[in-house]
Amino acid sequence: MSLRYALLALLRVGPLSGYELAKQFTQSVGHVWHAPDSQIYPELRKMEADGLIEAEEQARGERGTRRMYHVTDAGDRAFLAWMTSPLDYQRVRDPAHLRAAYLESASPDAAREFFRRHIEQWEGELAQWDGELRKIDHIDPPNPMLERRLKASPAEEHERIVAYKHFAYEGLVERAKSEIAWAQRGLDLVDKLDGDV
Amino acid sequence: MSLRYALLALLRVGPLSGYELAKQFTQSVGHVWHAPDSQIYPELRKMEADGLIEAEEQARGERGTRRMYHVTDAGDRAFLAWMTSPLDYQRVRDPAHLRAAYLESASPDAAREFFRRHIEQWEGELAQWDGELRKIDHIDPPNPMLERRLKASPAEEHERIVAYKHFAYEGLVERAKSEIAWAQRGLDLVDKLDGDV
DNA sequence: AACAACATGTAAAAAGTTACATGATTCA
DNA sequence: TGAATCATGTAACTTTTTACATGTTGTT
């Protein structure tokens, strides 16, 4: 259940409405921890019930309301406690490597198609993560959340903030590249085994 | 929902009871797709209801029964159809890289502890996967499922069976190694940033 | 007689997915 | 006046986790 900590990470920078948070989320942390809007709104309500965040309701028109959330002291402490606690690692559940292990049951063409789609899949992730990396490194204009984060922190912390984000996304970029390289070797393997027959 | 295909992969080799299947599962496919016994038994019942497998009940003592499962034609077709269909990739949800991206909020010691635990975690996975690889390569005695699989197939298919399994686990071994290398660079980064202050 | 291994589950909760529902405001 | 974007969800379902429940057979 890391979703609430991903949300806290964004809210700690400054108050946001559920809507703004959901938008910023998909453009930043969402690349590391995916969540659809339909999961974010209920989680915010739960976090409010748990006292981690508070909302200020603002009227919009006659019936509409907008809820601006901010982190409470308890929320701040919860985030910091999470940062120090042992992470709960997900159990391994890897559909691609599962299928790869039984690829002898498929035709060479189906095997090739599988690897091609694997490459496509990870090219997509790579593009996302590499895009983030370029924003972090100021090659591309930074995303609004990072900009806000840096403006809200003293200059001497900027190096650390940027360094850890760079390091995290660098790891993901490597992972994507290594998945692509693996699948490319997979295509070679299919050719080799196919030629054998 | 790859669990049923992981189970079908094992059952296609030959009939097994739920218990035997669960045991073999944790020692083979379970390294790629984890599932506890309490998920396997109900899934077998669902697969039976869906006509993918059939059970023959055997009496054990006066009240006990053992259910020997075997794959039906429909189950075989479902497995082969899955092998050819596009895989549904899980959305990214990576607690370690999520935390890494916000490590500036933790103390250098907490950051080091995080990376040390990350190394420990992936050393564990590496040992599992490398162990499987050694069995596949006949360096260690092969696991009973692979032995059965090879005995049930004509000799000319052995190369393909072994090649794909080797290839799948090789990919996982690489992944584990690259996670470990990443965390080790993380420890260096903490030292560098800590020295700065 | 005790213990490991055999054998099969249930129950409750948490987490995640998919599809849908509803209305307000702003700007071209 | 129509479309985009702002704004907040609910409902139903599937998957996964965690903890528990119960009895049998073979071996030392």
Side-chain angles (χ1 to χ4, degrees):
Chain A
M1 227 252 281
S2 304
L3 175 56
R4 59 175 51 193
Y5 301 106
L7 294 171
L8 279 176
L10 291 194
L11 277 177
R12 264 165 46 95
V13 178
L16 287 169
S17 71
Y19 181 78
E20 286 168 325
L21 178 57
K23 293 306 131 189
Q24 294 308 320
F25 189 92
T26 45
Q27 285 165 44
S28 55
V29 228
H31 293 130
V32 182
W33 191 274
H34 168 84
D37 296 3
S38 67
Q39 204 185 352
I40 291 176
Y41 284 110
E43 183 62 27
L44 286 171
R45 289 292 189 159
K46 268 199 243 170
M47 288 162 73
E48 196 185 3
D50 291 345
L52 306 182
I53 58 176
E54 274 168 3
E56 268 154 46
E57 298 210 338
Q58 295 174 348
R60 270 188 89 240
E62 304 213 346
R63 273 181 298 274
T65 41
R66 190 168 88 129
R67 300 171 60 82
M68 287 295 287
Y69 287 103
H70 65 264
V71 178
T72 62
D73 282 354
D76 209 59
R77 282 197 303 275
F79 182 80
L80 267 9
W82 176 73
M83 285 300 305
T84 312
S85 70
L87 208 54
D88 59 317
Y89 284 88
Q90 246 58 51
R91 301 312 197 96
V92 181
R93 221 169 258 115
D94 188 324
H97 286 75
L98 168 62
R99 185 177 288 183
Y102 293 94
L103 225 40
E104 75 271 4
S105 317
S107 70
D109 277 348
R112 285 191 192 95
E113 186 56 20
F114 162 69
F115 284 123
R116 274 195 295 263
R117 277 193 284 241
H118 194 72
I119 290 169
E120 230 176 83
Q121 166 72 19
W122 286 97
E123 298 268 16
E125 306 283 12
L126 177 58
Q128 298 288 312
W129 290 329
D130 204 46
E132 278 304 297
L133 205 49
R134 293 173 62 87
K135 286 173 195 167
I136 292 161
D137 293 344
H138 304 289
I139 297 167
D140 290 344
N143 71 45
M145 274 316 299
L146 180 55
E147 198 120 275
R148 264 164 52 103
R149 176 83 171 97
L150 291 176
K151 272 186 190 144
S153 326
E156 64 266 26
E157 281 183 23
H158 288 196
E159 191 196 351
R160 274 156 53 84
I161 294 170
V162 170
Y164 282 122
K165 272 171 195 34
H166 175 93
F167 179 67
Y169 279 93
E170 193 185 51
L172 293 168
V173 163
E174 269 170 43
R175 169 133 102 227
K177 283 182 180 166
S178 124
E179 287 291 340
I180 292 165
W182 175 76
Q184 239 131 23
R185 283 189 290 125
L187 287 171
D188 296 342
L189 178 61
V190 178
D191 286 345
K192 198 193 123 207
L193 292 172
D194 198 14
D196 274 9
V197 183
Chain B
M1 226 252 281
S2 303
L3 175 55
R4 61 173 51 192
Y5 302 105
L7 295 171
L8 278 175
L10 291 194
L11 276 176
R12 266 165 43 95
V13 178
L16 287 170
S17 70
Y19 181 80
E20 286 168 324
L21 179 56
K23 293 306 132 190
Q24 294 307 321
F25 189 91
T26 45
Q27 286 165 44
S28 56
V29 229
H31 292 132
V32 181
W33 191 275
H34 169 83
D37 296 3
S38 65
Q39 204 185 352
I40 292 176
Y41 285 110
E43 184 63 26
L44 287 171
R45 288 292 188 157
K46 268 199 243 170
M47 289 162 70
E48 195 185 5
D50 292 344
L52 305 182
I53 58 176
E54 273 169 3
E56 268 153 46
E57 298 210 339
Q58 295 173 350
R60 271 187 91 238
E62 304 214 345
R63 273 180 299 273
T65 42
R66 189 168 89 129
R67 299 172 60 82
M68 287 295 288
Y69 288 103
H70 65 264
V71 178
T72 63
D73 282 354
D76 210 60
R77 282 196 305 273
F79 182 80
L80 266 9
W82 176 73
M83 285 300 305
T84 312
S85 70
L87 208 53
D88 59 319
Y89 285 89
Q90 245 59 50
R91 303 308 199 98
V92 181
R93 221 169 260 115
D94 187 325
H97 286 75
L98 168 62
R99 184 177 288 183
Y102 293 94
L103 225 41
E104 74 271 4
S105 316
S107 70
D109 276 349
R112 285 193 192 94
E113 186 56 19
F114 162 68
F115 284 123
R116 274 195 295 262
R117 277 194 284 243
H118 194 73
I119 290 168
E120 229 176 83
Q121 167 70 19
W122 286 97
E123 297 269 16
E125 306 283 13
L126 177 58
Q128 298 288 311
W129 290 330
D130 202 47
E132 277 305 298
L133 204 49
R134 292 173 61 88
K135 286 172 195 166
I136 292 161
D137 293 344
H138 304 287
I139 297 167
D140 291 344
N143 71 45
M145 273 318 298
L146 179 55
E147 198 120 273
R148 261 165 54 105
R149 176 83 170 96
L150 290 174
K151 271 185 191 147
S153 326
E156 62 267 26
E157 282 182 24
H158 288 197
E159 189 195 353
R160 275 157 52 83
I161 294 171
V162 169
Y164 282 122
K165 274 173 193 35
H166 175 93
F167 179 68
Y169 280 92
E170 193 184 51
L172 293 169
V173 163
E174 269 169 44
R175 169 133 103 228
K177 284 183 180 166
S178 123
E179 287 290 338
I180 292 164
W182 175 77
Q184 240 131 22
R185 283 189 291 124
L187 287 171
D188 295 341
L189 178 61
V190 178
D191 286 344
K192 197 194 124 207
L193 292 172
D194 198 14
D196 275 10
V197 183

